[in-house]
Amino acid sequence: MRAERPSLIDPWPVRIVVGALIVGFVGLFLALPLYTLFAQAFAKGVDAYLRAIDEPAAWAAIKLTLTVAAIAVPLNVVFGLAASWCIAKFEFRGKQLLTTLIDLPFSVSPVISGLIFVLLFGLQGWLGPWLRSHDVQIIFALPGIVLATVFVTFPFVARELIPIMEAQGTQEEEAARLLGASGWQTFRRVTLPNVKWGLLYGVLLCNARAMGEFGAVSVVSGHVRGRTNTMPLHVEILYNEYNLTAAFAVASLLALLALATLAAKAALEWRGRTEIAS
Amino acid sequence: MTIEALGLEKRFGSFAALRGVDLKVEPGELLALLGPSGSGKTTLLRSIAGLETVDRGQILYEGIDADTISLRDRRVGFVFQHYALFRHMTIADNIAFGLKVRPRRERPPRAEINARVEQLLELVQLGGLGGRFPAQLSGGQRQRVALARALAIEPRVLLLDEPFGALDARVRKELRRWLRRLHEEIHVTTIFVTHDQDEAFELADRVVVMNDGKIEQIGSPAEIYDQPATEFVYEFLGGANRLPCHVEGGVALIAGTRLTTDLPRDFTGDAVAFVRPHEIGVARPNGHIDDVAQVRSILPIGPDARLDLEHVSGHIEALVPRESLDAAGIGVGSRCAVRIARARVFPTS
């Protein structure tokens, strides 16, 4: 079908130039940095690489990052599902406002969002004295990091689901209700299965961002080595100490996460397409 | 089941979808809601189902306020215009859905559910297709799955929203006949929405003609066809000539013919007359000028002929036996006298 329509095919020179531009761009901005990253990480050999990772502060950072993601991602899945369900399936006052609010973390600099939490929960903040008198520490501790991460990654799931749910309309839900399904049964048996691929995709993006977030977490974490450093923060500290091999080694783990996310995303898209096509 | 609607009113923003609708649906009857788009017929159907809440008025199921009955307990079988099948479930799972979501103590055992699904698949002539997904079926097949799914819960009332609207003409005809037979078999109270009068007249025991959020007329197909109650019904049914006329003392002068009307004896004023083509005859001109028309064209249709006539009061379409043309010596371009046998006259408001 394609080859037989010459009018739709650009002349050779155009194809070469465009192709070269794309390859050049991808190479310069994606492939080359990735290569440098791994090259630097392994510059002093595999032993040095493993030593850089197998170190208490690095392990603590990895554990903290996984813990934060393990809390923030499920929270945002619940929130994202609830918000997109409300927005896509119901009409109510303030719907536009809610839609705008969901986008807020995208439009606010992560550093500002971190600062907001410091202003709220920090020692000098609004709730600081009360929190201190009740012996609750949020800023410079795990709760603060989780809060900042939840805030920053809050739109990913909802943004992914709203268009899918809106496109699907409400008739299947209405049919389910009239067939006798309860609200929860309708959600679990009709709404959720219809968005499962989109949801997984949103979770993946949310997770990638949760593990990679730097700005907001940097403000609320306090950079206590071995206690409140996440992986991105740990990379920064190592880098500032001119410990390049270690910095790139930990960074390579984050890069691997990104590659795994991309692969999973591609697989999901392929799965989603074949399912729709069937 | 008897269903009653009492004074239903419903607005969507500034648009009034229902403006005081009263309706009583008899047990076991097949009722059509007929009207143009925007007439409120779908809103009425959805309100009866419980998918819309009305602003004013009441819906009674067997005399009980439907608001007090949960969607599950209403046992409404609803068929959506675009089927609304669960796309991620097989046909069998779609049909079984209403049984599977029942609370544990009311839920039939799995074997019984499977048997019921098989039985319904046979009923809608889709035996053996239970393992397919909705996307693998044709429009007509999907429509029948939607119907089987609705029937699985043994509904007390079956509601169908433009059930054949999205199908091509041939399939539509077939499904129409099939639905009629099915209704004769299971005899569940059925209401369906349509904008196609042929569909309404062919299927329904009674037809409800709606316009602008109100009911214009309720009656059997014959009643509606023979005695359209309002100007709108006449217009909507189509095919009738609309002739302006003058009424004096209850007698109308329509294209030169004097006819006694149903209007009060003392009514005098302008009116509009609806005359169907077969209610018009033609004759050789006899010297009067009032009733003379010019023959524009003659189209033979079997033993009859369709005439396009030009009269001072407007364009008139007549359907007359061809022999009467020969007898009166009427041909294209000649003049003839128009004879109105029957008309329905509505005063101009």
Side-chain angles (χ1 to χ4, degrees):
Chain A
M1 195 72 183
R2 276 172 309 200
E4 290 89 37
R5 293 166 72 179
S7 62
L8 289 182
I9 296 173
D10 291 316
W12 274 105
V14 177
R15 292 167 80 181
I16 290 170
V17 170
V18 172
L21 264 176
I22 292 170
V23 171
F25 190 85
V26 170
L28 191 63
F29 287 95
L30 296 173
L32 199 60
L34 207 58
Y35 169 76
T36 321
L37 178 69
F38 283 100
Q40 283 282 354
F42 288 101
K44 290 182 184 162
V46 178
D47 280 353
Y49 179 84
L50 290 177
R51 237 180 298 124
I53 291 172
D54 193 13
E55 188 244 340
W59 272 117
I62 292 170
K63 257 188 236 157
L64 181 62
T65 298
L66 292 176
T67 311
V68 169
I71 301 171
V73 174
L75 279 179
N76 274 337
V77 167
V78 172
F79 164 77
L81 269 172
S84 49
W85 197 51
C86 288
I87 287 173
K89 308 282 181 183
F90 300 96
E91 288 303 323
F92 55 91
R93 230 176 244 273
K95 183 165 152 173
Q96 199 56 48
L97 186 71
L98 183 60
T99 315
T100 315
L101 278 178
I102 288 173
D103 280 340
L104 190 67
F106 276 158
S107 51
V108 174
S109 157
V111 177
I112 309 290
S113 39
L115 272 176
I116 292 167
F117 287 111
V118 172
L119 288 176
L120 272 177
F121 303 116
L123 275 185
Q124 265 72 48
W126 279 5
L127 300 172
W130 186 86
L131 287 171
R132 207 155 86 124
S133 64
H134 288 78
D135 215 18
V136 179
Q137 195 179 8
I138 290 183
I139 299 304
F140 305 147
L142 182 67
I145 298 174
V146 170
L147 272 177
T149 307
V150 166
F151 180 80
V152 171
T153 58
F154 165 100
F156 286 94
V157 175
R159 268 285 139 219
E160 195 59 42
L161 291 183
I162 290 170
I164 300 177
M165 286 197 182
E166 274 178 346
Q168 288 175 345
T170 54
Q171 291 218 321
E172 285 183 48
E173 278 82 4
E174 288 181 342
R177 292 306 304 275
L178 286 174
L179 288 168
S182 65
W184 170 248
Q185 282 175 319
T186 303
F187 178 75
R188 222 197 61 63
R189 287 167 174 263
V190 176
T191 311
L192 200 55
N194 272 341
V195 299
K196 64 180 174 209
W197 298 117
L199 178 65
L200 271 174
Y201 185 39
V203 166
L204 223 53
L205 288 180
C206 182
N207 183 55
R209 183 68 195 264
M211 292 190 174
E213 174 55 23
F214 178 83
V217 170
S218 170
V219 177
V220 296
S221 112
H223 305 265
V224 184
R225 207 170 190 161
R227 284 196 31 224
T228 65
N229 261 352
T230 60
M231 284 167 76
L233 300 183
H234 188 61
V235 172
E236 193 212 14
I237 289 178
L238 292 172
Y239 183 79
N240 286 343
E241 289 169 349
Y242 300 105
N243 191 350
L244 288 191
T245 306
F248 280 106
V250 178
S252 71
L253 291 180
L254 280 171
L256 278 177
L257 167 74
L259 290 177
T261 305
L262 280 180
K265 169 178 172 285
L268 277 185
E269 273 170 357
W270 180 77
R271 220 17 241 279
R273 244 201 315 276
T274 48
E275 187 145 303
I276 287 162
S278 68
Chain B
M1 183 176 62
T2 319
I3 294 175
E4 277 170 281
L6 305 170
L8 298 189
E9 285 178 36
K10 170 79 182 171
R11 300 184 75 83
F12 293 106
S14 63
F15 174 72
L18 297 178
R19 305 194 301 172
V21 169
D22 294 283
L23 178 65
K24 185 170 182 191
V25 188
E26 302 294 343
E29 88 170 321
L30 182 49
L31 187 86
L33 301 179
L34 175 67
S37 51
S39 59
K41 54 193 193 305
T42 293
T43 307
L44 176 58
L45 193 79
R46 288 175 58 86
S47 302
I48 291 173
L51 293 173
E52 303 284 353
T53 44
V54 290
D55 301 333
R56 203 163 295 165
Q58 212 181 16
I59 292 161
L60 304 178
Y61 280 30
E62 302 274 26
I64 300 166
D65 187 346
D67 278 347
T68 63
I69 313 173
S70 70
L71 284 187
R72 169 179 275 161
D73 295 334
R74 286 184 187 213
R75 295 234 317 274
V76 167
F78 200 100
V79 175
F80 290 83
Q81 186 178 2
H82 299 289
Y83 328 125
L85 297 179
F86 306 127
R87 64 196 96 182
H88 61 282
M89 291 183 205
T90 63
I91 300 310
D93 285 339
N94 263 280
I95 297 174
F97 186 86
L99 301 173
K100 284 185 179 167
V101 295
R102 283 194 190 160
R104 199 172 297 269
R105 64 202 134 70
E106 295 168 30
R107 195 186 311 155
R110 185 180 299 260
E112 199 175 304
I113 292 181
N114 290 344
R116 182 104 183 93
V117 168
E118 282 309 313
Q119 195 188 333
L120 282 161
L121 278 170
E122 288 302 326
L123 181 72
V124 298
Q125 298 161 3
L126 290 174
L129 296 186
R132 303 243 185 125
F133 283 90
Q136 297 168 315
L137 299 187
S138 72
Q141 289 175 323
R142 281 183 226 178
Q143 185 60 283
R144 282 181 277 155
V145 174
L147 203 60
R149 183 178 69 175
L151 291 173
I153 59 166
E154 283 161 13
R156 297 198 290 167
V157 55
L158 193 56
L159 305 177
L160 305 103
D161 185 10
E162 298 269 6
F164 314 119
L167 301 170
D168 65 60
R170 198 181 55 79
V171 180
R172 196 182 319 185
K173 269 231 159 88
E174 221 168 83
L175 269 183
R176 218 191 266 173
R177 247 174 266 141
W178 177 79
L179 182 66
R180 178 78 238 187
R181 277 204 307 275
L182 186 76
H183 181 259
E184 278 157 14
E185 229 169 274
I186 58 176
H187 241 79
V188 60
T189 310
T190 305
I191 308 175
F192 73 98
V193 157
T194 180
H195 60 262
D196 178 347
Q197 49 167 306
D198 291 342
E199 202 164 286
F201 285 0
E202 190 180 321
L203 265 178
D205 300 321
R206 282 200 305 157
V207 176
V208 177
V209 184
M210 293 191 66
N211 176 41
D212 205 11
K214 281 183 298 196
I215 291 177
E216 294 275 337
Q217 187 174 6
I218 305 177
S220 69
E223 276 164 11
I224 298 221
Y225 186 79
D226 293 339
Q227 288 135 21
T230 65
E231 230 180 303
F232 171 82
V233 179
Y234 247 119
E235 295 266 18
F236 186 75
L237 295 181
N241 292 290
R242 186 182 200 278
L243 302 170
C245 63
H246 189 76
V247 180
E248 255 190 77
V251 176
L253 183 66
I254 308 161
T257 307
R258 235 167 251 290
L259 268 184
T260 312
T261 68
D262 302 338
L263 295 172
R265 283 281 181 92
D266 56 350
F267 179 84
T268 293
D270 288 332
V272 55
F274 286 90
V275 189
R276 291 216 163 94
H278 67 267
E279 296 167 336
I280 298 173
V282 288
R284 208 186 289 272
N286 57 359
H288 292 286
I289 24 170
D290 283 359
D291 60 2
V292 170
Q294 177 122 31
V295 181
R296 279 295 178 80
S297 69
I298 298 175
L299 179 70
I301 304 169
D304 294 330
R306 208 183 75 200
L307 268 59
D308 273 341
L309 306 172
E310 202 63 43
H311 183 264
V312 281
S313 62
H315 177 87
I316 300 175
E317 198 182 299
L319 192 70
V320 301
R322 262 155 71 186
E323 33 192 71
S324 72
L325 292 183
D326 301 337
I330 295 168
V332 178
S334 71
R335 288 161 163 280
C336 67
V338 178
R339 299 274 177 270
I340 308 280
R342 252 182 99 214
R344 209 127 146 111
V345 180
F346 299 98
T348 315
S349 47

